Amino acid sequence: LTYSSGMAGWTQPLLYSDFGKYTITDGTTTSAHLFYAGYDDKKIEPSNIEFDGAETTAVFKGRAVGTVENATASQDLNGRAELMLNKSDKSGQLKAFFDNWYDVTVTSDNTISFDNFQGDAAYKFATSGDGAAHSGATFNVEYYGMHEKQPTEAVGGAQYSEGNIEMDMVFGVKKQ
C-alpha cells in the first residue's frame, strides 16, 4: 500500500481532513484509488455553517488531484483548487485548474463545465469541453473545523464521464 496526500508540499496543511491517492499492489496487480475523509468530530454539516458578519461567500483554496481515463490509458491530474461557499443557500462551486487538462468548474447542483484544454487530445471530451454547463456530474463536499459552525477547511470529490472518457478528482482546501 502506498499513500500520497494531495496536500504534500502545500504551505497550508489541512488539520482535520485529508485527500489524495493510495495505490495497492498485490503481486503483479496494481490499483489506484482516490480518497477524501476527515475526523467525524470535526465535521460540520453545511446547514449548520454560520458566516462572519457581512460575509456572503466563504472562499477556500488548495489543491486538486485526480485521473482522467479513456478506453486504453489514464493520465494523472494535479492542480490548484478554489471552493466558493454561498451564504444564502450553502451551495458550493469548485474550480480546479489542471495544467495538463481542462480547467474544471463543478457546482452543488451537479453541473460541470470544462474550459481551456491543454494536453493530450486522447483525453479531450467531444462535446463537454465547450465551456458550457453540462449535467450528470457527481460533486460532494465535506466541511471541517475546530468550532462546530465555522469551517476552516473542506475536502471532497467530483466525477464525470462522456463517451469513453472518465474524470475522477478529489480536493482539499483551506478557508482564506
Side-chain angles (χ1 to χ4, degrees), residues 1-174:
L1 175 69
T2 305
Y3 157 78
S4 175
S5 172
M7 291 302 278
W10 189 249
T11 58
Q12 298 181 32
L14 301 175
L15 300 176
Y16 311 111
S17 59
D18 199 6
F19 73 104
K21 183 183 204 178
Y22 65 93
T23 305
I24 299 172
T25 303
D26 181 18
T28 59
T29 305
T30 299
S31 60
H33 307 273
L34 299 174
F35 74 92
Y36 63 91
Y39 294 113
D40 286 339
D41 64 332
K42 301 298 182 189
K43 189 173 182 178
I44 304 168
E45 293 300 321
S47 60
N48 294 334
I49 295 174
E50 293 181 355
F51 285 73
D52 295 329
E55 184 180 44
T56 59
T57 304
V59 177
F60 298 76
K61 293 184 179 183
R63 302 192 45 75
V65 298
T67 58
V68 59
E69 300 176 351
N70 61 26
T72 60
S74 67
Q75 172 178 287
D76 287 338
L77 303 173
N78 191 347
R80 293 182 301 111
E82 296 179 5
L83 177 68
M84 306 285 276
L85 174 62
N86 185 311
K87 179 180 183 176
S88 63
D89 61 3
K90 306 297 192 308
S91 64
Q93 177 187 61
L94 176 74
K95 292 185 177 189
F97 305 93
F98 299 113
D99 291 339
N100 63 336
W101 200 49
Y102 288 100
D103 294 343
V104 180
T105 303
V106 62
T107 62
S108 294
D109 65 357
N110 293 318
T111 60
I112 194 165
S113 62
F114 301 91
D115 291 300
N116 302 321
F117 180 79
Q118 303 175 66
D120 188 337
Y123 302 106
K124 188 173 184 179
F125 289 123
T127 57
S128 297
D130 59 4
H134 298 273
S135 62
T138 302
F139 179 51
N140 297 299
V141 183
E142 295 178 358
Y143 297 93
Y144 296 88
M146 172 65 88
H147 304 289
E148 63 186 40
K149 297 183 182 215
Q150 299 283 317
T152 56
E153 60 195 55
V155 293
Q159 297 82 34
Y160 182 76
S161 64
E162 176 188 298
N164 69 344
I165 299 175
E166 297 181 9
M167 181 267 320
D168 191 5
M169 72 171 165
V170 293
F171 63 91
V173 290
K174 291 280 281 192

